[in-house]
């Protein structure tokens, strides 16, 4: 999502499902000047016991402010550019 502002503000809106209600999404964002590589993983506390039930999830990942073009990848797959 590219938001209108001076200096293009960009965020990645993510929708999917978690394998349990105890899982939480975590992400890293690496910008090499041409590509923004986002890695998304989920994790639970090691001592937490959860029933495996698909849990829908939606969240936003702030990517930053940009004045030039970038390609965006998530977990190695190209999803778009701006």
């Amino acid at each position: 999502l590219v938001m209108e502002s001076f200096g293009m503000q960009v965020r990645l809106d993510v929708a999917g499902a978690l394998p349990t209600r105890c899982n939480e999404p975590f992400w890293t964002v690496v910008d090499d000047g041409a590509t923004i590589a986002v890695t998304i993983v989920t994790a639970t506390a090691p001592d937490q016991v959860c029933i495996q039930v698909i849990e829908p999830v939606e969240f936003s990942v702030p990517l930053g402010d940009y004045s030039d073009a970038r390609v965006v990848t998530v977990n190695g797959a190209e999803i778009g550019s701006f």
Side-chain angles (χ1 to χ4, degrees):
L1 177 63
V2 177
M3 297 171 277
E4 292 183 32
S5 65
F6 181 73
M8 195 174 12
Q9 293 182 5
V10 183
R11 78 170 189 233
L12 176 66
D13 289 337
V14 179
L18 300 173
T20 73
R21 292 181 178 169
C22 299
N23 281 72
E24 292 185 50
F26 298 93
W27 58 85
T28 59
V29 178
V30 177
D31 180 359
D32 69 6
T35 301
I36 300 172
V38 181
T39 302
I40 301 173
V41 298
T42 67
T44 62
D47 60 345
Q48 199 168 17
V49 178
C50 290
I51 297 172
Q52 192 164 1
V53 176
I54 300 297
E55 181 71 15
V57 66
E58 292 184 10
F59 58 93
S60 292
V61 177
L63 300 181
D65 298 333
Y66 297 92
S67 59
D68 52 351
R70 297 284 198 282
V71 171
V72 180
T73 65
V74 174
N75 293 351
E78 184 176 328
I79 62 161
S81 61
F82 60 88

